[in-house]
Amino acid sequence: MRSARLLLLPFALLAPLVACSGPVEPPAEDAGLITGCQIPFLGDTQAEPEVELIALGPDGKIEPITEGGKVSMMFPPQGGRVIFAGVRARNVNPCAVRISGALKDPLSGQVRIDARTVNLEATDDGWGRSAPTDISTFSNIATCPNQWSSQDVFGKEHELIVSLTEKDGRKTTRTVHVMPACDEPGQEEQCLCICKHGYTLGEMCTGSGGAGGSGGAGGSGGAGGGP
């Protein structure tokens, strides 16, 4: 099932958030509503929402995000590297939910954030999810080029915060510690270069995955602008 057209938060709303420190939660601003959704309520309207975190893996398939587990950094259409962080949920209204994701460096408190409004894809088991065939239904958290984390992004523990907010304002937030990984086949070498601590824009990287010197378009802004 294909989700409706993606609406993004303006960069001006996100920019002040990417350099803050201290406890961080994804932004509360609404990215706008998607109309025309005909998917019925998923689950029990009287029950509390159940939300699990998922991500797109190197093979394009959904992988669960677990405490202390690995999460892949992928080469997206906008360049750089992103974590495609999504949700699997029930007891929720799947229409026009806002998915907000943030990756936080625990050493400096710096974060990278992306938020977007989508329709969840209904599955046969009564749950809804970010659609594996549509990256716009995932939070595209821009992690690299790494000009924000005070350590390598790959192989170092970072905090991942993902929120699902329904149209009526009901919000569920999950926080886990993850180990971002440069494990996309054919993209590893450049990923390790642009995601290392101290990477400088313009530094030449070997390997594939976009214009090596710049790390791909859209990485340095930190807002994860989305495709």
Side-chain angles (χ1 to χ4, degrees), residues 22-104:
V24 175
E25 188 170 309
E29 293 88 349
D30 199 337
L33 299 179
I34 298 175
T35 60
C37 176
Q38 301 298 316
I39 307 171
F41 193 95
L42 300 172
D44 185 350
T45 58
Q46 303 303 313
E48 289 297 314
E50 296 181 48
V51 177
E52 299 175 354
L53 304 188
I54 58 175
L56 280 181
D59 58 359
K61 296 181 180 179
I62 286 177
E63 298 178 347
I65 299 176
T66 59
E67 176 63 28
K70 181 192 73 172
V71 62
S72 298
M73 294 188 291
M74 309 284 285
F75 178 49
Q78 66 267 32
R81 291 298 184 277
V82 305
I83 292 172
F84 292 118
V87 298
R88 181 174 177 268
R90 69 176 174 179
N91 305 330
V92 299
N93 182 344
C95 295
V97 300
R98 187 171 67 253
I99 298 177
S100 302
L103 189 72
K104 178 181 177 182

Side-chain angles (χ1 to χ4, degrees), residues 96-139:
V97 300
R98 187 171 67 253
I99 298 177
S100 302
L103 189 72
K104 178 181 177 182
D105 173 17
L107 300 184
S108 67
Q110 295 283 316
V111 298
R112 285 300 182 264
I113 291 174
D114 180 74
R116 54 192 64 214
T117 299
V118 305
N119 297 327
L120 296 181
E121 174 186 65
T123 54
D124 293 338
D125 58 2
W127 290 62
R129 66 181 182 182
S130 300
T133 57
D134 188 353
I135 62 173
S136 72
T137 62
F138 291 77
S139 176

Side-chain angles (χ1 to χ4, degrees), residues 148-217:
W148 63 283
S149 181
S150 58
Q151 56 184 334
D152 295 336
V153 181
F154 55 85
K156 302 293 183 181
E157 186 177 274
H158 286 71
E159 188 174 301
L160 179 66
I161 307 161
V162 179
S163 292
L164 181 151
T165 306
E166 296 171 70
K167 285 194 299 183
D168 63 4
R170 189 170 63 161
K171 183 176 183 179
T172 305
T173 300
R174 296 285 180 263
T175 301
V176 294
H177 296 89
V178 296
M179 301 285 281
C182 290
D183 59 352
E184 186 177 9
Q187 307 291 346
E188 299 96 325
E189 190 172 359
Q190 200 209 33
C191 179
L192 292 171
C193 177
I194 67 174
C195 296
K196 68 184 179 184
H197 173 54
Y199 173 78
T200 302
L201 282 179
E203 179 180 343
M204 294 303 297
C205 295
T206 58
S208 59
S214 65

